[in-house]
Amino acid sequence: RTHLDQMLENRKSMSSALSDTKTHLDQMHVEITRTLEKINSREKYINSQMEGPIAEYRRLKDRLAEIEDKYRSAGSTVTDQSRTLAQITEELENVKAQMDEKGTTMTDSGPLVKIKQAITKVKNELIQMELRIGVLQHVVITAKINDKTAMTRDMHSDDQFQDLKTSF
């Protein structure tokens, strides 16, 4: 009999605890639902506010890729010009060697004059190639500076973007 009375008391206390707990859980459910709705609303608002800066970021990122491609292209042009310069220098050395060899064996000055003219011509071409390489190096350096300037400007605009994010 005592055992049955104890079970009934436990059942009553469990029923009252269940109803209190259920009420509390229902209140928590309502609060959580309201909070989730607020979060979704704020997320939509932030996304709508960030569409412009995100589009600008994408545009700048695409522009950076284009500039990097131009930079690589200019670098390959400089490399090609350097190879051409090396070939011309090698040809000049070969002509000098041939001239020295023929100069010691020949006494006729006619071919010697032609060789000197050829050497002068090759030297002039070498000077022109060096000038072209200098101009191309200037173009590459200018592109690097422009890239850094654009990246700095982008970083400043990203700072403004961060300021905008933190204000929300």
Side-chain angles (χ1 to χ4, degrees), residues 30-55:
V30 168
E31 288 178 26
I32 289 172
T33 303
R34 194 176 316 134
T35 303
L36 283 175
E37 287 174 0
K38 284 182 183 178
I39 289 172
N40 285 335
S41 172
R42 286 183 183 163
E43 182 180 356
K44 287 177 185 177
Y45 176 76
I46 289 172
N47 284 340
S48 70
Q49 293 296 316
M50 293 298 126
E51 284 179 8
I54 289 172

PDB file of all heavy atoms in Angstrom, residues 30-55:
ATOM      1  N   VAL A  30       8.881  29.787 -28.930  1.00  0.00           N
ATOM      2  CA  VAL A  30       8.404  31.049 -29.500  1.00  0.00           C
ATOM      3  C   VAL A  30       9.554  32.052 -29.587  1.00  0.00           C
ATOM      4  O   VAL A  30       9.743  32.721 -30.607  1.00  0.00           O
ATOM      5  CB  VAL A  30       7.223  31.600 -28.656  1.00  0.00           C
ATOM      6  CG1 VAL A  30       6.897  33.033 -29.039  1.00  0.00           C
ATOM      7  CG2 VAL A  30       6.003  30.710 -28.800  1.00  0.00           C
ATOM      8  N   GLU A  31      10.364  32.150 -28.533  1.00  0.00           N
ATOM      9  CA  GLU A  31      11.482  33.091 -28.523  1.00  0.00           C
ATOM     10  C   GLU A  31      12.527  32.713 -29.577  1.00  0.00           C
ATOM     11  O   GLU A  31      13.051  33.576 -30.293  1.00  0.00           O
ATOM     12  CB  GLU A  31      12.128  33.132 -27.144  1.00  0.00           C
ATOM     13  CG  GLU A  31      11.292  33.834 -26.094  1.00  0.00           C
ATOM     14  CD  GLU A  31      11.963  33.814 -24.723  1.00  0.00           C
ATOM     15  OE1 GLU A  31      13.215  33.716 -24.671  1.00  0.00           O
ATOM     16  OE2 GLU A  31      11.240  33.897 -23.723  1.00  0.00           O
ATOM     17  N   ILE A  32      12.807  31.451 -29.693  1.00  0.00           N
ATOM     18  CA  ILE A  32      13.799  30.993 -30.687  1.00  0.00           C
ATOM     19  C   ILE A  32      13.281  31.275 -32.094  1.00  0.00           C
ATOM     20  O   ILE A  32      14.030  31.738 -32.964  1.00  0.00           O
ATOM     21  CB  ILE A  32      14.126  29.501 -30.484  1.00  0.00           C
ATOM     22  CG1 ILE A  32      14.950  29.316 -29.212  1.00  0.00           C
ATOM     23  CG2 ILE A  32      14.883  28.947 -31.684  1.00  0.00           C
ATOM     24  CD1 ILE A  32      15.164  27.871 -28.812  1.00  0.00           C
ATOM     25  N   THR A  33      12.015  31.018 -32.337  1.00  0.00           N
ATOM     26  CA  THR A  33      11.432  31.274 -33.657  1.00  0.00           C
ATOM     27  C   THR A  33      11.505  32.761 -33.987  1.00  0.00           C
ATOM     28  O   THR A  33      11.893  33.144 -35.102  1.00  0.00           O
ATOM     29  CB  THR A  33       9.962  30.801 -33.693  1.00  0.00           C
ATOM     30  OG1 THR A  33       9.921  29.420 -33.358  1.00  0.00           O
ATOM     31  CG2 THR A  33       9.356  31.011 -35.054  1.00  0.00           C
ATOM     32  N   ARG A  34      11.177  33.608 -33.033  1.00  0.00           N
ATOM     33  CA  ARG A  34      11.225  35.058 -33.238  1.00  0.00           C
ATOM     34  C   ARG A  34      12.670  35.498 -33.514  1.00  0.00           C
ATOM     35  O   ARG A  34      12.918  36.303 -34.406  1.00  0.00           O
ATOM     36  CB  ARG A  34      10.668  35.759 -31.990  1.00  0.00           C
ATOM     37  CG  ARG A  34      10.364  37.228 -32.233  1.00  0.00           C
ATOM     38  CD  ARG A  34       9.706  37.919 -31.033  1.00  0.00           C
ATOM     39  NE  ARG A  34       8.651  37.109 -30.434  1.00  0.00           N
ATOM     40  CZ  ARG A  34       8.513  36.901 -29.133  1.00  0.00           C
ATOM     41  NH1 ARG A  34       9.346  37.447 -28.272  1.00  0.00           N
ATOM     42  NH2 ARG A  34       7.518  36.159 -28.658  1.00  0.00           N
ATOM     43  N   THR A  35      13.602  34.964 -32.769  1.00  0.00           N
ATOM     44  CA  THR A  35      15.015  35.318 -32.963  1.00  0.00           C
ATOM     45  C   THR A  35      15.504  34.875 -34.347  1.00  0.00           C
ATOM     46  O   THR A  35      16.217  35.619 -35.029  1.00  0.00           O
ATOM     47  CB  THR A  35      15.887  34.669 -31.866  1.00  0.00           C
ATOM     48  OG1 THR A  35      15.406  35.087 -30.594  1.00  0.00           O
ATOM     49  CG2 THR A  35      17.335  35.080 -32.012  1.00  0.00           C
ATOM     50  N   LEU A  36      15.116  33.686 -34.772  1.00  0.00           N
ATOM     51  CA  LEU A  36      15.515  33.211 -36.106  1.00  0.00           C
ATOM     52  C   LEU A  36      14.925  34.089 -37.199  1.00  0.00           C
ATOM     53  O   LEU A  36      15.593  34.379 -38.207  1.00  0.00           O
ATOM     54  CB  LEU A  36      15.079  31.757 -36.306  1.00  0.00           C
ATOM     55  CG  LEU A  36      15.942  30.709 -35.612  1.00  0.00           C
ATOM     56  CD1 LEU A  36      15.329  29.328 -35.782  1.00  0.00           C
ATOM     57  CD2 LEU A  36      17.348  30.727 -36.170  1.00  0.00           C
ATOM     58  N   GLU A  37      13.704  34.533 -37.027  1.00  0.00           N
ATOM     59  CA  GLU A  37      13.101  35.423 -38.009  1.00  0.00           C
ATOM     60  C   GLU A  37      13.861  36.744 -38.073  1.00  0.00           C
ATOM     61  O   GLU A  37      14.099  37.291 -39.148  1.00  0.00           O
ATOM     62  CB  GLU A  37      11.625  35.664 -37.667  1.00  0.00           C
ATOM     63  CG  GLU A  37      10.739  34.467 -37.936  1.00  0.00           C
ATOM     64  CD  GLU A  37       9.300  34.670 -37.456  1.00  0.00           C
ATOM     65  OE1 GLU A  37       8.990  35.753 -36.916  1.00  0.00           O
ATOM     66  OE2 GLU A  37       8.499  33.740 -37.640  1.00  0.00           O
ATOM     67  N   LYS A  38      14.266  37.263 -36.917  1.00  0.00           N
ATOM     68  CA  LYS A  38      15.047  38.500 -36.890  1.00  0.00           C
ATOM     69  C   LYS A  38      16.392  38.299 -37.595  1.00  0.00           C
ATOM     70  O   LYS A  38      16.841  39.154 -38.362  1.00  0.00           O
ATOM     71  CB  LYS A  38      15.297  38.952 -35.446  1.00  0.00           C
ATOM     72  CG  LYS A  38      14.116  39.580 -34.777  1.00  0.00           C
ATOM     73  CD  LYS A  38      14.502  40.032 -33.356  1.00  0.00           C
ATOM     74  CE  LYS A  38      13.329  40.617 -32.613  1.00  0.00           C
ATOM     75  NZ  LYS A  38      13.708  41.012 -31.237  1.00  0.00           N
ATOM     76  N   ILE A  39      17.021  37.178 -37.321  1.00  0.00           N
ATOM     77  CA  ILE A  39      18.326  36.891 -37.953  1.00  0.00           C
ATOM     78  C   ILE A  39      18.166  36.811 -39.460  1.00  0.00           C
ATOM     79  O   ILE A  39      18.967  37.379 -40.211  1.00  0.00           O
ATOM     80  CB  ILE A  39      18.930  35.589 -37.377  1.00  0.00           C
ATOM     81  CG1 ILE A  39      19.395  35.820 -35.944  1.00  0.00           C
ATOM     82  CG2 ILE A  39      20.093  35.110 -38.243  1.00  0.00           C
ATOM     83  CD1 ILE A  39      19.825  34.556 -35.226  1.00  0.00           C
ATOM     84  N   ASN A  40      17.129  36.104 -39.924  1.00  0.00           N
ATOM     85  CA  ASN A  40      16.898  35.996 -41.369  1.00  0.00           C
ATOM     86  C   ASN A  40      16.634  37.367 -41.977  1.00  0.00           C
ATOM     87  O   ASN A  40      17.134  37.687 -43.062  1.00  0.00           O
ATOM     88  CB  ASN A  40      15.728  35.060 -41.659  1.00  0.00           C
ATOM     89  CG  ASN A  40      16.103  33.615 -41.476  1.00  0.00           C
ATOM     90  OD1 ASN A  40      17.271  33.262 -41.588  1.00  0.00           O
ATOM     91  ND2 ASN A  40      15.128  32.765 -41.194  1.00  0.00           N
ATOM     92  N   SER A  41      15.862  38.179 -41.284  1.00  0.00           N
ATOM     93  CA  SER A  41      15.561  39.518 -41.784  1.00  0.00           C
ATOM     94  C   SER A  41      16.841  40.354 -41.876  1.00  0.00           C
ATOM     95  O   SER A  41      17.083  41.020 -42.885  1.00  0.00           O
ATOM     96  CB  SER A  41      14.558  40.191 -40.847  1.00  0.00           C
ATOM     97  OG  SER A  41      14.380  41.539 -41.200  1.00  0.00           O
ATOM     98  N   ARG A  42      17.667  40.308 -40.862  1.00  0.00           N
ATOM     99  CA  ARG A  42      18.918  41.074 -40.874  1.00  0.00           C
ATOM    100  C   ARG A  42      19.876  40.555 -41.938  1.00  0.00           C
ATOM    101  O   ARG A  42      20.569  41.330 -42.592  1.00  0.00           O
ATOM    102  CB  ARG A  42      19.577  41.028 -39.504  1.00  0.00           C
ATOM    103  CG  ARG A  42      18.857  41.894 -38.498  1.00  0.00           C
ATOM    104  CD  ARG A  42      19.530  41.912 -37.163  1.00  0.00           C
ATOM    105  NE  ARG A  42      18.762  42.709 -36.212  1.00  0.00           N
ATOM    106  CZ  ARG A  42      18.920  42.656 -34.926  1.00  0.00           C
ATOM    107  NH1 ARG A  42      19.855  41.867 -34.415  1.00  0.00           N
ATOM    108  NH2 ARG A  42      18.193  43.406 -34.132  1.00  0.00           N
ATOM    109  N   GLU A  43      19.900  39.260 -42.111  1.00  0.00           N
ATOM    110  CA  GLU A  43      20.773  38.678 -43.135  1.00  0.00           C
ATOM    111  C   GLU A  43      20.347  39.154 -44.524  1.00  0.00           C
ATOM    112  O   GLU A  43      21.179  39.530 -45.348  1.00  0.00           O
ATOM    113  CB  GLU A  43      20.718  37.153 -43.062  1.00  0.00           C
ATOM    114  CG  GLU A  43      21.620  36.462 -44.063  1.00  0.00           C
ATOM    115  CD  GLU A  43      21.545  34.950 -43.968  1.00  0.00           C
ATOM    116  OE1 GLU A  43      20.857  34.421 -43.084  1.00  0.00           O
ATOM    117  OE2 GLU A  43      22.183  34.309 -44.815  1.00  0.00           O
ATOM    118  N   LYS A  44      19.045  39.177 -44.789  1.00  0.00           N
ATOM    119  CA  LYS A  44      18.549  39.667 -46.080  1.00  0.00           C
ATOM    120  C   LYS A  44      18.891  41.136 -46.260  1.00  0.00           C
ATOM    121  O   LYS A  44      19.291  41.562 -47.352  1.00  0.00           O
ATOM    122  CB  LYS A  44      17.035  39.459 -46.174  1.00  0.00           C
ATOM    123  CG  LYS A  44      16.640  38.011 -46.375  1.00  0.00           C
ATOM    124  CD  LYS A  44      15.132  37.848 -46.399  1.00  0.00           C
ATOM    125  CE  LYS A  44      14.747  36.375 -46.488  1.00  0.00           C
ATOM    126  NZ  LYS A  44      13.290  36.187 -46.453  1.00  0.00           N
ATOM    127  N   TYR A  45      18.746  41.909 -45.195  1.00  0.00           N
ATOM    128  CA  TYR A  45      19.069  43.330 -45.271  1.00  0.00           C
ATOM    129  C   TYR A  45      20.556  43.538 -45.575  1.00  0.00           C
ATOM    130  O   TYR A  45      20.920  44.321 -46.451  1.00  0.00           O
ATOM    131  CB  TYR A  45      18.692  44.026 -43.961  1.00  0.00           C
ATOM    132  CG  TYR A  45      19.085  45.478 -43.929  1.00  0.00           C
ATOM    133  CD1 TYR A  45      18.349  46.425 -44.636  1.00  0.00           C
ATOM    134  CD2 TYR A  45      20.204  45.895 -43.216  1.00  0.00           C
ATOM    135  CE1 TYR A  45      18.716  47.764 -44.616  1.00  0.00           C
ATOM    136  CE2 TYR A  45      20.571  47.229 -43.196  1.00  0.00           C
ATOM    137  CZ  TYR A  45      19.827  48.163 -43.900  1.00  0.00           C
ATOM    138  OH  TYR A  45      20.201  49.470 -43.887  1.00  0.00           O
ATOM    139  N   ILE A  46      21.399  42.826 -44.866  1.00  0.00           N
ATOM    140  CA  ILE A  46      22.848  42.955 -45.086  1.00  0.00           C
ATOM    141  C   ILE A  46      23.210  42.514 -46.499  1.00  0.00           C
ATOM    142  O   ILE A  46      23.998  43.169 -47.179  1.00  0.00           O
ATOM    143  CB  ILE A  46      23.634  42.149 -44.025  1.00  0.00           C
ATOM    144  CG1 ILE A  46      23.519  42.834 -42.667  1.00  0.00           C
ATOM    145  CG2 ILE A  46      25.097  42.016 -44.417  1.00  0.00           C
ATOM    146  CD1 ILE A  46      24.088  42.024 -41.520  1.00  0.00           C
ATOM    147  N   ASN A  47      22.629  41.429 -46.967  1.00  0.00           N
ATOM    148  CA  ASN A  47      22.908  40.964 -48.331  1.00  0.00           C
ATOM    149  C   ASN A  47      22.480  42.005 -49.358  1.00  0.00           C
ATOM    150  O   ASN A  47      23.191  42.247 -50.337  1.00  0.00           O
ATOM    151  CB  ASN A  47      22.201  39.637 -48.599  1.00  0.00           C
ATOM    152  CG  ASN A  47      22.896  38.481 -47.924  1.00  0.00           C
ATOM    153  OD1 ASN A  47      24.069  38.572 -47.568  1.00  0.00           O
ATOM    154  ND2 ASN A  47      22.183  37.389 -47.735  1.00  0.00           N
ATOM    155  N   SER A  48      21.319  42.628 -49.145  1.00  0.00           N
ATOM    156  CA  SER A  48      20.877  43.646 -50.091  1.00  0.00           C
ATOM    157  C   SER A  48      21.797  44.866 -50.045  1.00  0.00           C
ATOM    158  O   SER A  48      22.045  45.499 -51.072  1.00  0.00           O
ATOM    159  CB  SER A  48      19.425  44.047 -49.814  1.00  0.00           C
ATOM    160  OG  SER A  48      19.330  44.767 -48.596  1.00  0.00           O
ATOM    161  N   GLN A  49      22.308  45.208 -48.871  1.00  0.00           N
ATOM    162  CA  GLN A  49      23.208  46.353 -48.740  1.00  0.00           C
ATOM    163  C   GLN A  49      24.588  46.061 -49.345  1.00  0.00           C
ATOM    164  O   GLN A  49      25.274  46.973 -49.784  1.00  0.00           O
ATOM    165  CB  GLN A  49      23.375  46.739 -47.257  1.00  0.00           C
ATOM    166  CG  GLN A  49      22.116  47.281 -46.628  1.00  0.00           C
ATOM    167  CD  GLN A  49      21.674  48.579 -47.269  1.00  0.00           C
ATOM    168  OE1 GLN A  49      22.485  49.452 -47.527  1.00  0.00           O
ATOM    169  NE2 GLN A  49      20.387  48.696 -47.557  1.00  0.00           N
ATOM    170  N   MET A  50      24.985  44.812 -49.377  1.00  0.00           N
ATOM    171  CA  MET A  50      26.330  44.453 -49.828  1.00  0.00           C
ATOM    172  C   MET A  50      26.384  44.081 -51.315  1.00  0.00           C
ATOM    173  O   MET A  50      27.463  43.793 -51.824  1.00  0.00           O
ATOM    174  CB  MET A  50      26.859  43.270 -49.001  1.00  0.00           C
ATOM    175  CG  MET A  50      27.111  43.618 -47.554  1.00  0.00           C
ATOM    176  SD  MET A  50      28.375  44.878 -47.438  1.00  0.00           S
ATOM    177  CE  MET A  50      27.541  46.089 -46.458  1.00  0.00           C
ATOM    178  N   GLU A  51      25.261  44.103 -52.002  1.00  0.00           N
ATOM    179  CA  GLU A  51      25.277  43.732 -53.417  1.00  0.00           C
ATOM    180  C   GLU A  51      26.205  44.629 -54.219  1.00  0.00           C
ATOM    181  O   GLU A  51      26.980  44.161 -55.044  1.00  0.00           O
ATOM    182  CB  GLU A  51      23.857  43.778 -53.990  1.00  0.00           C
ATOM    183  CG  GLU A  51      23.000  42.617 -53.581  1.00  0.00           C
ATOM    184  CD  GLU A  51      21.587  42.699 -54.144  1.00  0.00           C
ATOM    185  OE1 GLU A  51      21.323  43.589 -54.979  1.00  0.00           O
ATOM    186  OE2 GLU A  51      20.761  41.872 -53.750  1.00  0.00           O
ATOM    187  N   GLY A  52      26.123  45.931 -53.992  1.00  0.00           N
ATOM    188  CA  GLY A  52      26.978  46.877 -54.717  1.00  0.00           C
ATOM    189  C   GLY A  52      28.458  46.647 -54.459  1.00  0.00           C
ATOM    190  O   GLY A  52      29.238  46.486 -55.413  1.00  0.00           O
ATOM    191  N   PRO A  53      28.886  46.644 -53.190  1.00  0.00           N
ATOM    192  CA  PRO A  53      30.315  46.403 -52.925  1.00  0.00           C
ATOM    193  C   PRO A  53      30.802  45.037 -53.426  1.00  0.00           C
ATOM    194  O   PRO A  53      31.922  44.924 -53.900  1.00  0.00           O
ATOM    195  CB  PRO A  53      30.417  46.496 -51.402  1.00  0.00           C
ATOM    196  CG  PRO A  53      29.287  47.379 -50.991  1.00  0.00           C
ATOM    197  CD  PRO A  53      28.182  47.071 -51.970  1.00  0.00           C
ATOM    198  N   ILE A  54      29.950  44.046 -53.359  1.00  0.00           N
ATOM    199  CA  ILE A  54      30.357  42.714 -53.847  1.00  0.00           C
ATOM    200  C   ILE A  54      30.548  42.759 -55.353  1.00  0.00           C
ATOM    201  O   ILE A  54      31.518  42.208 -55.887  1.00  0.00           O
ATOM    202  CB  ILE A  54      29.333  41.648 -53.424  1.00  0.00           C
ATOM    203  CG1 ILE A  54      29.431  41.401 -51.919  1.00  0.00           C
ATOM    204  CG2 ILE A  54      29.552  40.347 -54.183  1.00  0.00           C
ATOM    205  CD1 ILE A  54      28.341  40.508 -51.356  1.00  0.00           C
ATOM    206  N   ALA A  55      29.633  43.423 -56.061  1.00  0.00           N
ATOM    207  CA  ALA A  55      29.776  43.550 -57.515  1.00  0.00           C
ATOM    208  C   ALA A  55      31.043  44.323 -57.855  1.00  0.00           C
ATOM    209  O   ALA A  55      31.777  43.947 -58.787  1.00  0.00           O
ATOM    210  CB  ALA A  55      28.546  44.236 -58.101  1.00  0.00           C
TER     211      ALA A  55
END
